[in-house]
Amino acid sequence: MIVAHAADGTPLAAQSEGTGRPLVLLAGQANDHTWWDAVRGDFPYTVTVDYRGTGASGKPDAPYSTPLLADDVIAVLDELGIERADVYGTSMGGRVAQWIAIRYPERVRRLVLGCTSPGGPHAVERSAEVRRALMRPDARETLADLMYTPAWRATHPGPYRTLGDPAMPPHARRHHLRASDQHDAWDALPRISAPTLILHGDDDGLAPVANATLLAERIPDARVHVLPGARHGYFEECRPHASELVRGFLA
């Protein structure tokens, strides 16, 4: 584990594995680096980050935002001495990745955005039914169903690493939720200059697949690949195909 420090002094835990061209993997909301446990071995050199509020990173009780989390990632790259990297973000990690590519274009070689959205009023939101289900006491089971298909879950009973960091304090969960909800990169997306691949499952109830088209329309020369029948956790359920698509694009 590596520990970097954000501009405000918050300690940021990160993990670096392998050799070669670095690929930064960014997890979903309220998750730490273990989101990528099933996938990171598909790539030769990966860097993962425990967002502030998760894992071994500091957990300040102050507002978070996706641009702030993007700045945190750059602090990690600075600590590792990485001047330029590929960046692959899924879910809220895709929102953070957008801001990295927008604010730090010289640091991003290629960009992959998975199961994410531009945020703001232009985004296609999840249904009211899904929002209500996520507020129920059994929300963890609901979230698992939104991440993976029943057929896949029948042969992969878990535990799943994508359902949130159970050690997060309540204030950090609130700050993560607010950061994701308040994300809006719509006006800035045309400034992304890195070649961009957008991946999405067409049965994604957390981030409807229409958001992939919206991102592609805003990001210059972006390409889209939709995975039939896949849900929010396409990167795990559809592995190795999804990882193969990413490796091919990064090559």
Side-chain angles (χ1 to χ4, degrees):
M1 184 179 76
I2 304 101
V3 178
H5 288 85
D8 63 1
T10 300
L12 303 167
Q15 305 75 31
S16 175
E17 293 185 9
T19 59
R21 187 165 52 225
L23 171 63
V24 179
L25 298 172
L26 299 174
Q29 175 191 317
N31 282 269
D32 61 14
H33 71 280
T34 58
W35 173 279
W36 293 105
D37 278 0
V39 177
R40 68 184 303 157
D42 293 342
F43 305 100
Y45 178 20
T46 60
V47 175
T48 50
V49 180
D50 289 348
Y51 294 124
R52 60 174 64 213
T54 73
S57 289
K59 301 168 178 64
D61 189 0
Y64 303 174
S65 68
T66 47
L68 174 64
L69 298 175
D71 293 346
D72 287 350
V73 175
I74 294 299
V76 168
L77 294 183
D78 288 345
E79 178 68 24
L80 291 169
I82 296 173
E83 294 184 1
R84 200 161 181 246
D86 296 321
V87 178
Y88 179 9
T90 47
S91 197
M92 189 186 79
R95 299 179 179 211
V96 175
Q98 292 165 37
W99 284 116
I100 296 173
I102 292 162
R103 293 161 69 100
Y104 303 95
E106 73 285 355
R107 307 297 295 268
V108 181
R109 192 188 76 97
R110 289 194 170 224
L111 178 67
V112 183
L113 303 175
C115 54
T116 193
S117 87
H122 296 282
V124 178
E125 296 297 331
R126 64 194 62 157
S127 70
E129 180 183 4
V130 168
R131 289 197 298 272
R132 285 193 298 269
L134 289 171
M135 296 175 66
R136 295 172 187 155
D138 62 345
R140 193 170 178 84
E141 183 66 19
T142 297
L143 183 57
D145 275 335
L146 289 164
M147 293 295 297
Y148 310 109
T149 64
W152 191 82
R153 290 187 68 197
T155 56
H156 298 78
Y160 307 116
R161 298 286 190 169
T162 54
L163 305 185
D165 175 3
M168 283 183 76
H171 72 263
R173 289 187 179 278
R174 290 194 299 271
H175 293 316
H176 266 247
L177 177 61
R178 197 167 294 121
S180 189
D181 284 349
Q182 293 181 350
H183 172 78
D184 184 359
W186 183 264
D187 290 339
L189 287 173
R191 288 160 40 197
I192 292 179
S193 57
T196 303
L197 172 65
I198 299 164
L199 298 175
H200 220 111
D202 70 359
D203 191 25
D204 191 335
L206 278 174
V209 67
N211 287 294
T213 301
L214 293 175
L215 287 166
E217 290 172 348
R218 297 295 290 172
I219 299 172
D221 301 319
R223 66 181 77 171
V224 179
H225 189 99
V226 175
L227 292 96
R231 297 187 176 180
H232 204 61
Y234 77 86
F235 51 91
E236 187 174 0
E237 179 168 347
C238 297
R239 178 191 181 230
H241 179 50
S243 292
E244 182 181 1
L245 290 169
V246 175
R247 284 196 305 268
F249 173 70
L250 298 181

